[in-house]
Amino acid sequence: MTVLWSRFDSPVGPLLLTADPNGALTSVSVPGQKNGRTVQESWRLEPAPFRAAEEQLAAYFAGELKEFRLEFRTAGSEFRERVWAALDTVPYGATTTYGEIAARIGASRAAVRAVGGAIGANPLLIVRPCHRVIGADGSLTGYAGGLERKVQLLTLEGAL
């Protein structure tokens, strides 16, 4: 399958955007991201399909957009897809915990570690707001894009 890609300069650093051949967003990554994507030789640089994503990201970073409305397509296990769908319901400016996400998807408290793994595997940084998930004690726990970016995003949203 052909992967389309583009870069977007943001206040949290350059973002690598990928999409499928139909233009559906498949990932948003930052340099040095744990399990982040890197441009492959077979990928095709094609900025046009990313115009809506770039406009919405620019509006988000300007404090003018609170909810992304983009077509995206991700591939994960049924469990990960449920966790990612729960992330999509965490509103701008709010935070939630790993335990609350587990409860939202009907998973047991014992599943909190698996929920954390699914959140860490989120391929759509910023767009799917995994940065809004914090520790039960209010601590800013791991973020695949780096804790300094998590702080920047939560500060932008007024959650810190």
Side-chain angles (χ1 to χ4, degrees):
M1 179 175 83
T2 302
V3 175
L4 308 178
W5 72 277
S6 187
R7 289 205 198 286
F8 176 77
D9 289 324
S10 82
V12 297
L15 302 178
L16 171 62
L17 310 175
T18 64
D20 68 15
N22 297 320
L25 196 62
T26 55
S27 73
V28 177
S29 309
V30 295
Q33 175 183 332
K34 180 182 175 188
N35 300 318
R37 299 190 84 179
T38 56
V39 177
Q40 304 297 307
E41 208 172 290
S42 62
W43 292 7
R44 192 168 75 222
L45 175 61
E46 196 165 319
F50 299 98
R51 285 203 177 85
E54 290 174 357
E55 288 170 5
Q56 290 185 39
L57 284 163
Y60 169 80
F61 285 113
E64 301 164 356
L65 181 82
K66 304 210 179 325
E67 186 176 329
F68 291 96
R69 298 198 182 281
L70 296 167
E71 179 185 352
F72 54 84
R73 189 161 293 114
T74 55
S77 68
E78 186 267 333
F79 179 80
R80 283 186 174 179
E81 292 288 345
R82 286 186 8 237
V83 170
W84 296 342
L87 288 177
D88 292 336
T89 68
V90 181
Y92 181 97
T95 58
T96 191
T97 66
Y98 296 92
E100 289 168 350
I101 293 290
R104 283 184 196 187
I105 66 165
S108 70
R109 293 287 296 156
V112 169
R113 185 165 291 192
V115 166
I119 290 170
N122 170 25
L124 294 168
L125 288 192
I126 304 165
V127 173
R128 178 172 279 145
C130 54
H131 59 276
R132 297 179 188 154
V133 182
I134 61 174
D137 62 0
S139 62
L140 298 182
T141 56
Y143 180 60
L147 283 180
E148 68 282 346
R149 286 188 183 101
K150 184 172 190 160
V151 168
Q152 283 180 278
L153 295 169
L154 292 174
T155 300
L156 169 73
E157 295 184 9
L160 285 184

